[in-house]
Amino acid sequence: MTDADPHAGQPVEHRGPALEDADSAVILLHGRGARASGMLGFAEDLPSEGAAFVAPQAARATWYPNSFLEPTEENEPWFSSALGLVNDVFEDVTEHVPAENVALLGFSQGACLGSEFVARNPHEYGGFVAFSGGLHGPEGTTHEHEGDLEGTPIFLGCSDRDPHIPEERVHETRDVFEAMNADVTERIYEGMGHTVNQDELEHAADIVGDL
């Protein structure tokens, strides 16, 4: 860990077969204040046969210090360092598993980070799941991401009154990914808290099961 790259050298937790023996892989991105080991619990709710689950750990359990609705520069250098760690993990995984067989799944701050990673690195993924998250930037941000996601299946799920994620940002994220040629499913749940429900897990299971 350095001041310029706070997530450098952070551990990556693993569950399931070794990458060289895996048929598919899921990269799990935890929320603020959480642990990578906790994200591995999603393996119990998702099709796991032949799938490797990998979960990087953020330094100090936080990918970046401020809200994802703040200007990006307010979250530097943590934000760029987090994107770099996700990229390193993705490259390690795809040395063994084709990108079209790799999904990313994030919750809360991890879902926001994953949204930015996918938007900034467009190609065909096996899938992306954002539980309570969306693209970064203050209200009114123009999300000018270009590139082709080549039909990547994406699921966006969130409450209509999430205390951290405005519903409108979920819609904006949907529109950006659809413009990038992703196959997007969005679900907004009335009155749900900042959590993950069974319907969301079933959508995620469909994506992972198709890897």
Side-chain angles (χ1 to χ4, degrees):
M1 177 178 176
T2 67
D3 289 343
D5 191 3
H7 298 297
Q10 283 296 111
V12 179
E13 303 286 344
H14 181 274
R15 181 167 177 172
L19 287 170
E20 54 266 31
D21 299 321
D23 299 318
S24 59
V26 183
I27 298 171
L28 300 161
L29 303 174
H30 67 76
R32 186 190 300 272
R35 306 295 302 176
S37 56
M39 287 298 290
L40 291 177
F42 279 112
E44 300 174 5
D45 300 299
L46 303 173
S48 59
E49 184 175 358
F53 293 84
V54 294
Q57 176 63 50
R60 302 175 186 170
T62 299
W63 293 112
Y64 41 85
N66 300 309
S67 168
F68 82 116
L69 299 172
E70 295 292 328
T72 299
E73 56 268 23
E74 298 296 321
N75 281 312
E76 295 294 6
W78 290 75
F79 178 58
S80 292
S81 177
L83 288 172
L85 178 57
V86 176
N87 186 68
D88 289 346
V89 171
F90 184 77
E91 289 186 348
D92 288 344
V93 169
T94 53
E95 284 185 7
H96 304 284
V97 181
E100 59 269 24
N101 292 344
V102 178
L104 291 90
L105 182 154
F107 171 67
S108 190
Q109 194 182 57
C112 299
L113 177 63
S115 296
E116 283 291 327
F117 178 79
V118 170
R120 292 169 182 239
N121 299 276
H123 54 77
E124 182 183 3
Y125 296 86
F128 173 55
V129 176
F131 293 142
S132 304
L135 291 166
H136 279 234
E139 182 179 353
T141 297
T142 301
H143 300 283
E144 297 179 349
H145 295 287
E146 298 181 354
D148 191 350
L149 287 167
E150 302 180 39
T152 294
I154 291 179
F155 175 75
L156 308 174
C158 195
S159 170
D160 64 342
R161 58 189 71 181
D162 190 289
H164 306 290
I165 315 296
E167 180 181 344
E168 183 58 31
R169 181 53 53 89
V170 182
H171 298 326
E172 292 168 355
T173 302
R174 173 202 63 201
D175 293 345
V176 169
F177 284 142
E178 286 183 342
M180 297 176 74
N181 195 31
D183 181 9
V184 183
T185 300
E186 178 199 73
R187 292 290 184 272
I188 302 296
Y189 301 94
E190 183 177 352
M192 185 177 78
H194 190 64
T195 186
V196 179
N197 67 26
Q198 186 61 38
D199 186 66
E200 291 178 292
L201 289 173
E202 290 173 2
H203 282 286
D206 287 343
I207 288 177
V208 174
D210 286 340
L211 292 177

